Amino acid sequence: MVTAASSAEIAIILIDARNGILPQTKRHSFIANLVGIKKIIVAVNKMDLINFEKDVFEQITDDYKKIVLSEVKFDEVSFIPVSALGGDNIIKNSPKTPWYSDKPLMSMLESINIDKTKKDIFSMPVQYVNRPNLNFRGFSGTISSGSLAVNDEIIVSSSLQAANVNEIYIADKNVESCNEGDAVTITLNKEIDISRGDILFNKSFKVEKSNAFLANLIWFNEEACFPNRSYILKSGNKQTGCEIIKIKNKININNYEKIAAGSLEMNDIAECELLLDNELCLLPYIENKTLGNYILIDKKSNLTVAAGTIKHDLRR
């Protein structure tokens, strides 16, 4: 759920009409908010098993507003009764719910307005140094924010060296500019030291690196998480050693209260302080999704044990 939500603009929160609001409903709503989703559709499913009763749907709607929306904020929330088995209110409004007059689910998805505002700051984690022959040296990656054009000046996060863009390729086409989300290869007007994991920024961007961050974290593993254990942190295309030096609090998923915790169990959501072996340029998640998310990998088993989002660095 975390993986899917991290790249989504809209979430559909599915509720079983027979069971109402469950801990999983609260957890999924909180995670959707945590990864920056601002618009959700609450679909009350299996309405056929409760005879499409309006009172039950309205009770679930009221419960969600009181329990979830009082603590977790979204810009836009829609409620819809559906029966996936019979296709009721999926593509067209069902005659079995004459009391429901809003759009069916698919029309609702197609008509929700997505904010297309792009960040002005260009950033691109380098995934691959492309050297097909001695005469070509390109840097490949997906643009995480902003736009780039030929002759723009960029700076490298690791060395702070600057250069101008000479060529931009999208697949095998030479283009004059590119935008957020484009997978590109760029060449520069001079040779500077760039390798996988480096980040290219606008020349005007003030690159600040740190090895300590306050972050949100979702623990995946069946084995409990304790402070001061060592993991591998991966963000973008960069990896480094990492310790969870402090669990500041974790979320009580039943009422969204922050409570003290000395360890984390599977599916716990917490706020932690991370200490990295090396300084990295990680940005707050609200500013840049690509440079603000991370996963933790167990050094022995190589399993992904946690994922999270950066809140801010902890420079003293």
Side-chain angles (χ1 to χ4, degrees):
M1 190 270 164
V2 176
T3 304
S6 64
S7 59
E9 301 287 352
I10 306 169
I12 301 175
I13 304 296
L14 204 60
I15 297 177
D16 189 324
R18 300 168 300 172
N19 301 324
I21 310 298
L22 298 175
Q24 192 80 328
T25 310
K26 303 171 190 175
R27 181 177 289 106
H28 284 176
S29 300
F30 189 88
I31 292 173
N33 180 261
L34 188 68
V35 298
I37 294 176
K38 297 300 181 185
K39 300 182 180 184
I40 66 166
I41 298 172
V42 180
V44 181
N45 190 28
K46 300 185 180 179
M47 290 294 295
D48 54 305
L49 299 181
I50 60 163
N51 299 317
F52 296 93
E53 293 182 19
K54 178 182 178 182
D55 292 344
V56 176
F57 172 75
E58 290 182 340
Q59 183 61 55
I60 292 173
T61 298
D62 290 341
D63 289 345
Y64 190 88
K65 290 177 180 177
K66 291 175 184 176
I67 298 171
V68 179
L69 296 184
S70 61
E71 301 293 335
V72 181
K73 304 302 179 185
F74 296 99
D75 291 344
E76 186 176 326
V77 182
S78 302
F79 296 90
I80 179 170
V82 300
S83 169
L85 180 66
D88 296 282
N89 293 329
I90 303 297
I91 296 176
K92 60 182 180 180
N93 284 27
S94 172
K96 298 174 185 176
T97 55
W99 41 267
Y100 175 76
S101 57
D102 207 342
K103 298 175 183 176
L105 180 61
M106 293 305 296
S107 297
M108 198 176 284
L109 284 171
E110 292 168 350
S111 61
I112 287 180
N113 183 37
I114 302 299
D115 183 11
K116 294 295 185 181
T117 303
K118 303 293 184 182
K119 301 281 192 308
D120 292 334
I121 298 173
F122 165 77
S123 63
M124 186 189 87
V126 176
Q127 181 179 0
Y128 175 63
V129 179
N130 191 349
R131 293 297 301 270
N133 56 59
L134 293 174
N135 301 317
F136 186 92
R137 186 168 184 254
F139 306 100
S140 303
T142 300
I143 298 174
S144 55
S145 65
S147 59
L148 186 70
V150 173
N151 296 324
D152 282 357
E153 192 172 20
I154 58 97
I155 189 171
V156 184
S157 62
S158 58
S159 63
L160 302 184
Q161 290 181 295
N164 290 92
V165 176
N166 194 35
E167 295 174 304
I168 302 173
Y169 293 91
I170 297 180
D172 59 348
K173 294 182 179 178
N174 194 329
V175 298
E176 291 298 314
S177 63
C178 52
N179 298 290
E180 181 179 329
D182 289 340
V184 302
T185 296
I186 67 173
T187 64
L188 304 177
N189 66 335
K190 61 181 180 180
E191 287 202 13
I192 56 177
D193 186 21
I194 300 176
S195 59
R196 174 180 167 85
D198 286 338
I199 303 168
L200 307 183
F201 288 105
N202 283 105
K203 179 61 169 65
S204 58
F205 181 75
K206 185 180 179 182
V207 177
E208 295 180 345
K209 295 188 284 187
S210 178
N211 68 336
F213 296 91
L214 181 65
N216 295 311
L217 180 145
I218 304 169
W219 188 253
F220 294 160
N221 205 15
E222 293 180 357
E223 294 184 11
C225 166
F226 295 95
N228 301 317
R229 290 185 176 177
S230 182
Y231 302 95
I232 297 171
L233 179 141
K234 183 176 181 181
S235 179
N237 302 311
K238 197 77 171 178
Q239 292 188 176
T240 186
C242 170
E243 286 185 16
I244 300 172
I245 57 174
K246 183 178 181 181
I247 300 173
K248 293 196 67 176
N249 55 67
K250 74 174 183 179
I251 301 299
N252 181 344
I253 207 64
N254 292 310
N255 55 18
Y256 297 125
E257 285 183 348
K258 293 182 178 181
I259 57 177
S263 63
L264 299 177
E265 301 295 332
M266 187 175 182
N267 291 331
D268 276 348
I269 302 171
E271 189 176 69
C272 302
E273 293 181 3
L274 305 179
L275 180 65
L276 282 54
D277 291 351
N278 301 292
E279 290 189 333
L280 294 184
C281 184
L282 300 180
L283 302 181
Y285 186 79
I286 58 173
E287 295 179 12
N288 190 307
K289 284 191 173 186
T290 301
L291 304 180
N293 72 63
Y294 66 91
I295 60 172
L296 295 184
I297 302 169
D298 185 270
K299 289 184 174 181
K300 292 183 179 179
S301 65
N302 209 36
L303 292 173
T304 300
V305 294
T309 58
I310 300 295
K311 298 190 75 173
H312 58 78
D313 63 36
L314 294 173
R315 288 166 302 181
R316 302 302 185 210

